[in-house]
């Protein structure tokens, strides 16, 4: 009544060797964390272009070192100029990106990246609070 299957299954079995490389969970988390930190670095560079401070300079250097470490020594691409953007919007975006990086860093137990992400969250939250006070004054 039923015809037997004559072709190989499209589903892989655990017994056979894989024909494409797989990454470990740790490698996937490294890639994800490097991506979040690189995005945070891009926003930090935009903020530095609009209102340079020594805090942002130091943060950008630390972020670049962490991204390079996670990418096996390859330095991240850096923003050179920024278009007209509101500073508050950049701080909100940076705060959200730092939060995502913190979650990934905590899940992979990367203390250095977690501390850096938490510090950046605090810095951008403080900057947002200062912008809000300045706007209401």
């Amino acid at each position: 009544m039923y015809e037997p299957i004559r072709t190989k299954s499209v589903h892989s079995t655990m017994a056979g060797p894989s024909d494409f490389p797989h990454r470990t969970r740790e490698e996937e988390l490294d890639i994800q964390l490097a991506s979040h930190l690189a995005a945070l670095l891009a926003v930090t560079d935009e903020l530095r272009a609009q209102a340079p401070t020594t805090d942002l300079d130091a943060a950008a250097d630390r972020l670049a070192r962490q991204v390079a470490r996670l990418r096996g020594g390859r330095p991240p691409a850096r923003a050179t100029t920024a278009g007209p953007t509101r500073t508050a919007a950049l701080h909100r975006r940076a705060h959200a990106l730092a939060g995502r990086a913190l979650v990934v860093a905590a899940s992979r137990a990367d203390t250095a990246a977690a501390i850096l992400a938490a510090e950046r969250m605090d810095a951008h939250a403080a900057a947002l609070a200062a912008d809000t006070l300045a706007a209401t004054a």
Side-chain angles (χ1 to χ4, degrees), residues 35-62:
S35 298
H36 288 316
L37 291 176
L40 179 57
L41 176 60
V43 174
T44 302
D45 282 341
E46 285 185 55
L47 283 166
R48 287 175 56 223
Q50 288 189 5
T53 65
T54 56
D55 178 51
L56 287 174
D57 292 341
D61 289 340
R62 290 177 63 200

Side-chain angles (χ1 to χ4, degrees), residues 6-22:
R6 295 182 185 169
T7 61
K8 264 189 147 179
S9 173
V10 295
H11 303 286
S12 64
T13 62
M14 297 306 284
S18 176
D19 57 344
F20 62 93
H22 290 281

Side-chain angles (χ1 to χ4, degrees), residues 18-100:
S18 176
D19 57 344
F20 62 93
H22 290 281
R23 290 188 284 251
T24 66
R25 182 177 189 277
E26 189 70 20
E27 290 169 329
E28 288 291 339
L29 289 173
D30 282 349
I31 292 167
Q32 191 175 23
L33 180 57
S35 298
H36 288 316
L37 291 176
L40 179 57
L41 176 60
V43 174
T44 302
D45 282 341
E46 285 185 55
L47 283 166
R48 287 175 56 223
Q50 288 189 5
T53 65
T54 56
D55 178 51
L56 287 174
D57 292 341
D61 289 340
R62 290 177 63 200
L63 286 165
R65 282 194 305 271
Q66 287 295 323
V67 172
R69 177 183 63 86
L70 291 165
R71 290 183 176 168
R74 292 187 324 250
R78 301 290 300 265
T80 55
T81 60
T85 307
R86 290 186 15 179
T87 304
L90 288 173
H91 282 297
R92 278 192 293 278
R93 188 179 329 154
H95 186 271
L97 288 166
R100 290 182 190 120

